[in-house]
Amino acid sequence: MQNRIMITGAGSGLGREIALRWAREGWQLALSDISDEGLQETLRLAREAGGDGFVQRCDVRDYSQLTAFAQACEQKLGGIDIIVNNADVASGGFFGELSLEDWDWQIAINLMGVVKGCKAFLPLIEASKGKIINIASMAALMQGPAMSNYNVAKAGVVALSESLLVELREQDIGVHVVCPSFFQTNLMDSFRGPTPAMKAQVGKLLESSPITASEIADYIHEQVGKGQFMILPHEQGRMAWQIKQKNPQLIYDEMATMADKMRAKAKRTPD
């Protein structure tokens, strides 16, 4: 370990907080995002926190941009020890309302962006015997209503991470998947859905979270250090996952009830 970490979606939110958490340990940071302004601000804050590194604009939908980013990590840092596939976008809407374009957009960024990040950086991680951290969501495990395309994309990230965990263990490469619940972030800036009412409902869930992105980054740092594969930062999320493992039908019934309430509320709320 030479203390070099790559983070996608590092221009704001959880990506920025992960960068700052590792910066406090003096790590070298390779930061990417589609927001140049956000990247520069993250790098400035990271240097204040005790880290250093470089930024490079990167759209995770474009594999050539990710391979170019990996090459930059090799040239500027001599390699990489941890990759954090964090870039994602929000979406919502009942299945019947979602267009196929909504599905393509969600899968391209939230699932294939992670696949491509792992693929582009695997040679560097193999060389350093480093770690892969993929950011999924509790949506991958609980499948809440009115977000089927998001649920599927994030469930794919969990399945990918499980596959990498077993395939890469022989090479001493650590794999971790993070499944946060709703938390305070700017994820709504990217939200795509069929109705303003749906966006408003999701926005309220984000605002009501008892935990911040900074606290989630601290928890990720701690659990990665312990070698934990599946990292569930929210206590309520951990409890819900335990319940679903023991009695999945109870969770399905609860989600169906939630769907009914959401439909009723959407009907009362003018678009």
Side-chain angles (χ1 to χ4, degrees):
M1 278 278 176
Q2 295 183 39
N3 294 2
R4 303 160 299 185
I5 186 170
M6 177 283 277
I7 306 165
T8 65
S12 62
L14 181 58
R16 173 176 289 173
E17 295 301 334
I18 291 172
L20 297 182
R21 181 63 187 85
W22 264 263
R24 292 201 292 273
E25 306 286 331
W27 280 56
Q28 292 289 306
L29 311 169
L31 308 173
S32 77
D33 202 289
I34 57 171
S35 169
D36 292 314
E37 184 178 345
L39 281 174
Q40 292 298 335
E41 177 65 7
T42 300
L43 183 59
R44 183 187 69 79
L45 293 169
R47 284 172 171 160
E48 287 181 0
D52 201 359
F54 74 98
V55 301
Q56 185 161 318
R57 190 184 190 283
C58 181
D59 185 333
V60 297
R61 291 173 291 186
D62 186 342
Y63 185 62
S64 66
Q65 292 187 32
L66 281 160
T67 56
F69 186 34
Q71 289 168 2
C73 290
E74 191 163 25
Q75 292 165 0
K76 297 181 179 184
L77 305 180
I80 213 77
D81 301 290
I82 296 179
I83 64 169
V84 184
N85 290 299
N86 166 75
D88 79 337
V89 290
S91 62
F94 287 102
F95 180 76
E97 302 168 332
L98 293 170
S99 68
L100 290 179
E101 287 76 17
D102 291 331
W103 276 88
D104 288 343
W105 177 75
Q106 179 61 234
I107 298 295
I109 298 171
N110 284 7
L111 175 54
M112 290 309 299
V114 177
V115 172
K116 292 172 183 177
C118 290
K119 188 75 172 174
F121 278 83
L122 184 58
L124 296 184
I125 290 296
E126 287 176 331
S128 65
K129 296 191 181 299
K131 301 179 188 295
I132 296 170
I133 303 173
N134 293 328
I135 308 299
S137 168
M138 280 304 297
L141 307 178
M142 306 306 294
Q143 289 85 45
M147 48 197 296
S148 56
N149 57 345
Y150 189 81
N151 294 341
V152 168
K154 292 298 188 177
V157 172
V158 171
L160 169 67
S161 302
E162 290 176 336
S163 301
L164 294 174
L165 175 71
V166 298
E167 289 186 20
L168 300 177
R169 185 167 68 177
E170 187 180 20
Q171 296 169 254
D172 293 324
I173 293 171
V175 179
H176 310 269
V177 64
V178 184
C179 295
S181 302
F182 289 110
F183 62 96
Q184 299 159 33
T185 181
N186 64 340
L187 193 59
M188 294 309 294
D189 293 349
S190 67
F191 184 90
R192 182 183 293 189
T195 65
M198 187 62 66
K199 181 173 182 177
Q201 288 191 43
V202 176
K204 286 180 180 177
L205 286 170
L206 294 176
E207 292 169 6
S208 65
S209 170
I211 190 170
T212 66
S214 176
E215 290 167 328
I216 291 173
D218 285 341
Y219 189 81
I220 293 170
H221 185 274
E222 173 191 307
Q223 294 299 308
V224 167
K226 292 179 179 179
Q228 180 69 31
F229 166 66
M230 184 173 285
I231 299 172
L232 310 179
H234 288 73
E235 183 178 1
Q236 285 185 322
R238 294 191 289 273
M239 292 169 58
W241 180 229
Q242 288 176 357
I243 292 170
K244 185 175 181 181
Q245 289 175 298
K246 294 176 183 176
N247 187 357
Q249 190 61 50
L250 188 67
I251 297 297
Y252 300 147
D253 292 342
E254 178 66 26
M255 292 299 177
T257 300
M258 188 186 301
D260 292 340
K261 290 179 180 177
M262 290 176 75
R263 284 195 193 90
K265 190 169 184 178
K267 288 177 181 177
R268 295 195 305 268
T269 306
D271 288 351

